[in-house]
Amino acid sequence: MDSPDLSEALYALEAHHGDIGDMTIADLFAHDPRRFADFHVVLDDLLFDFSKHRIERTTLKLLLDLAGAARLEARRDALFAGAIVNKTERRPALHMALRNMSGTPMFADGIDVMPQVLAERRKMLAFAEAVRGGALKSASGECFTHIVNIGIGGSDLGPAMAARALSPFVSSHLDLNFVANVDGADLADTLQRIDLARTLFVVSSKTFTTLETMTNARAARQAVIDALGETAVSAQFCAVSTAAQEVASFGIRDDRRFLFWDWVGGRYSLWSSIGLSLAIGIGTQNFEDFLRGGEDIDKHFLAAPLAANIPVLMALIEIWYRDFWDYAAQAVIPYDQRLARFPAYLQQLEMESNGKSVDLAGAPLDIETGPIIFGEPGTNAQHAFFQLFHQGTAIVPVDFLLAATSIAGDPKQHHLLVANCLAQSEALMRGRSLAEVEAKLTAQGLAGDAIAALAPHKVFSGNRPSSTLLYKSLTPRTLGRLIALYEHKVFVQSVIWNIDPFDQWGVELGKELALRLAPLVADPQASTAMLDSSTAGLIAHLRGLRGP
Ligand code: F6P
């Protein structure tokens, strides 16, 4: 934060925060009949409503000034031009190339990546169609009916989330499974459900060294060998990775290796061959529609003026709350059951990207960065943690995601779902005052003492912000759009905070320590003298529980 322009923009926002501190969102609506008209953006069937926020026109202007001071447009253009935006790993971040449907050149290290992207996409989709259509057979000559993706983080959350989101588009004869955890229960439970002779394992790992994935992949290979013999392995396994050599060493045939590149971050890799299990499930046309959805947002992000640019607005509003109101969390509540894993997917996308405390130059930041992201589908979440949203001392801004129509759901039930979503954002914004509560209790016939005792518990302070993303239905294209919106939102925030959103060094220490501890956990005789007393005490108790 050492640019004078940026400091000035931040000071202006700080002063503005002081000025509008008392103003409520309900007041803003009361004083401005045009508020919704001016505080929403439409992109085809997708509507982004940002009117229920603690912002007025001046706030938006100052936030856009902040984006200008951070040279957002130049930084965005550099991202798309393949500049080294991942400074600590010295890489571009060109996941947009994976959903570039026209093949227009895009460059990494001065080389047009599109010919290899298109060739690999063709190879992957042809393989997916062969599995899907039954042309490709298992070792015993049967069609594949079970697909097991083995991967973790970006090599799991994307395809697993999308397979659930797009379940109506998945062929009914295919059963998609996802194994991630090094907890052997994950693989064991999956093996229970499937017929190994008709199962294709997709080992997905950018690095092909990840402990969880390689452990599960080896265990799955052993299960195949035990059940079907060594020769079955080559027919029942394929792999997706950037590490061609490691994949070959694992014994995966050349025509079953699907590659991507180190300029694709793990959490941005669903658009690549990492989407293989999804592509097998939904087929080429739907997979390409999904990519088109991502491309729609790339075009919007590049072309729309910042004041009408959805990911930019999403990012700036969240920064407003994180850095000026000190709101530490952000909820994402899809009123769309099939998006049940979307919050988990966003947790990696957002928290692995923007959970940083040093700037691009390595200097400690004096500004708060990425909030805690969490969520569950509505209406379920209403019956769990919405109490805190409405009456807790913490303020949690919410993104509501809502489909106008349900695919294959009962339309009457969908009306109830929609009504609940709209009711929640209205209730959060409007609240219910003490006077309103007292009047209601009086009308119910309660006496003065009873009213005095009960009324404070029934007050809703309101003034709690939310956005709503409303779309026609959860199609592959819509899903692509939603994901890309959040990707670019994260990027915009990283520009303002001047952090590297494409590295994830914070996951390394735990991995290293786990490797050091593994032999001590496995061997009851190994000395724990070098450990801190808590870790040593836990291991001692664990050894006791396991017995001699
Ligand atoms: O540990 C974090 C991480 O590196 C993620 O960024 C990544 O998505 C995940 O692990 C899996 O990595 P890989 O695809 O290399 O197995």
Side-chain angles (χ1 to χ4, degrees):
M1 291 289 149
D2 47 8
S3 135
D5 288 355
L6 213 53
S7 306
E8 207 174 294
L10 289 167
Y11 283 131
L13 278 159
E14 190 66 63
H16 175 66
H17 172 249
D19 292 344
I20 72 158
D22 290 341
M23 195 174 324
T24 68
I25 309 171
D27 287 343
L28 292 168
F29 274 100
H31 297 140
D32 182 0
R34 282 194 51 80
R35 185 161 174 86
F36 173 74
D38 289 354
F39 289 76
H40 81 268
V41 177
V42 174
L43 175 63
D44 297 332
D45 67 283
L46 183 76
L47 183 147
F48 174 56
D49 172 21
F50 59 103
S51 59
K52 293 193 187 95
H53 281 291
R54 301 180 82 163
I55 55 172
E56 49 177 24
R57 285 176 183 74
T58 311
T59 326
L60 271 186
K61 186 203 164 295
L62 293 175
L63 286 167
L64 291 165
D65 288 350
L66 178 68
R71 298 177 45 256
L72 173 61
E73 284 163 300
R75 300 273 293 272
R76 173 198 63 194
D77 295 348
L79 170 79
F80 278 81
I84 306 288
V85 287
N86 181 350
K87 302 273 184 210
T88 67
E89 296 179 305
R90 307 241 5 99
R91 291 173 188 162
L94 257 194
H95 42 280
M96 299 80 69
L98 303 167
R99 55 208 188 206
N100 169 353
M101 302 307 280
S102 62
T104 321
M106 292 184 81
F107 296 91
D109 292 330
I111 294 166
D112 178 10
V113 299
M114 287 316 298
Q116 45 182 338
V117 167
L118 297 179
E120 203 61 26
R121 189 192 297 159
R122 269 195 299 275
K123 180 181 165 194
M124 185 275 275
L125 289 173
F127 180 79
E129 286 301 334
V131 175
R132 208 178 136 71
L136 197 88
K137 301 278 193 279
S138 72
S140 53
E142 294 172 86
C143 295
F144 290 109
T145 50
H146 305 280
I147 311 298
V148 178
N149 184 83
I150 299 180
I152 197 162
S155 301
D156 164 73
L157 284 164
M161 174 276 289
R164 175 107 191 251
L166 301 179
S167 57
F169 299 85
V170 174
S171 286
S172 54
H173 73 285
L174 289 168
D175 162 43
L176 306 185
N177 298 272
F178 297 87
V179 172
N181 203 330
V182 76
D183 181 343
D186 202 1
L187 180 64
D189 291 356
T190 305
L191 292 177
Q192 282 282 321
R193 289 197 297 269
I194 59 173
D195 174 1
L196 269 181
R198 291 184 286 123
T199 298
L200 177 72
F201 289 93
V202 182
V203 185
S204 297
S205 174
K206 181 176 172 182
T207 54
F208 231 68
T209 56
T210 304
L211 174 86
E212 293 89 336
T213 303
M214 298 326 295
T215 306
N216 279 321
R218 279 190 289 270
R221 182 167 62 178
Q222 195 53 52
V224 168
I225 292 171
D226 293 347
L228 310 170
E230 182 99 40
T231 51
V233 170
S234 71
Q236 317 279 137
F237 276 79
C238 64
V240 185
S241 185
T242 58
Q245 202 46 56
E246 283 78 356
V247 175
S249 312
F250 189 84
I252 308 260
R253 282 172 17 197
D254 184 43
D255 58 336
R256 285 162 181 245
R257 286 179 225 150
F258 304 96
L259 299 181
F260 61 111
W261 305 273
D262 67 3
W263 43 261
V264 182
R267 52 195 174 274
Y268 300 87
S269 62
L270 173 58
W271 315 97
S272 74
S273 297
I274 288 288
L276 174 58
S277 43
L278 175 68
I280 294 172
I282 65 175
T284 297
Q285 202 184 322
N286 285 319
F287 191 80
E288 287 182 346
D289 267 355
F290 165 71
L291 298 182
R292 255 176 227 112
E295 187 186 40
D296 292 340
I297 300 301
D298 293 339
K299 289 181 177 165
H300 169 78
F301 184 43
L302 281 168
L306 297 191
N309 197 308
I310 302 174
V312 173
L313 292 167
M314 289 169 77
L316 293 175
I317 291 169
E318 207 171 281
I319 282 182
W320 173 234
Y321 293 128
R322 187 72 194 100
D323 293 324
F324 300 92
W325 295 83
D326 207 20
Y327 299 164
Q330 167 74 39
V332 180
I333 310 293
Y335 276 70
D336 202 326
Q337 182 59 30
R338 295 191 184 110
L339 284 176
R341 295 290 285 157
F342 194 55
Y345 176 80
L346 292 182
Q347 282 176 330
Q348 185 195 15
L349 173 63
E350 303 210 17
M351 293 162 81
E352 206 170 67
S353 299
N354 284 342
K356 309 286 165 63
S357 51
V358 294
D359 70 11
L360 279 168
L365 288 164
D366 52 8
I367 191 164
E368 296 291 343
T369 59
I372 297 155
I373 306 290
F374 71 104
E376 275 289 317
T379 58
N380 304 20
Q382 290 174 209
H383 300 273
F385 49 80
F386 268 45
Q387 163 65 39
L388 183 147
F389 286 3
H390 287 289
Q391 290 189 315
T393 50
I395 306 283
V396 183
V398 182
D399 282 356
F400 290 104
L401 273 55
L402 179 64
T405 59
S406 163
I407 297 175
D410 177 90
K412 287 204 196 78
Q413 281 193 223
H414 199 72
H415 294 327
L416 293 175
L417 181 76
V418 172
N420 268 279
C421 181
L422 300 180
Q424 289 300 323
S425 69
E426 187 185 350
L428 286 167
M429 179 266 283
R430 177 198 293 268
R432 177 168 279 163
S433 69
L434 184 62
E436 286 171 324
V437 174
E438 286 170 346
K440 216 168 158 25
L441 293 176
T442 307
Q444 285 166 10
L446 259 70
D449 285 358
I451 292 176
L454 191 53
H457 300 279
K458 293 191 145 226
V459 169
F460 292 72
S461 64
N463 207 17
R464 294 173 186 240
S466 68
S467 301
T468 301
L469 277 162
L470 173 61
Y471 44 88
K472 185 158 187 244
S473 58
L474 189 57
T475 60
R477 194 156 182 164
T478 302
L479 182 68
R481 288 176 174 178
L482 290 175
I483 296 172
L485 279 177
Y486 279 91
E487 284 179 356
H488 290 318
K489 178 196 88 163
V490 165
F491 173 74
V492 171
Q493 292 177 332
S494 76
V495 169
I496 308 284
W497 289 322
N498 198 30
I499 57 180
D500 188 338
F502 298 113
D503 64 12
Q504 58 283 318
W505 299 107
V507 300
E508 295 302 323
L509 178 60
K511 286 185 192 173
E512 234 175 271
L513 296 187
L515 286 181
R516 191 185 57 146
L517 289 172
L520 311 188
V521 173
D523 175 4
Q525 307 305 325
S527 166
T528 58
M530 77 297 264
L531 300 177
D532 65 83
S533 66
S534 165
T535 312
L538 289 166
I539 291 180
H541 191 68
L542 178 132
R543 287 174 178 173
L545 291 175
R546 284 179 175 172

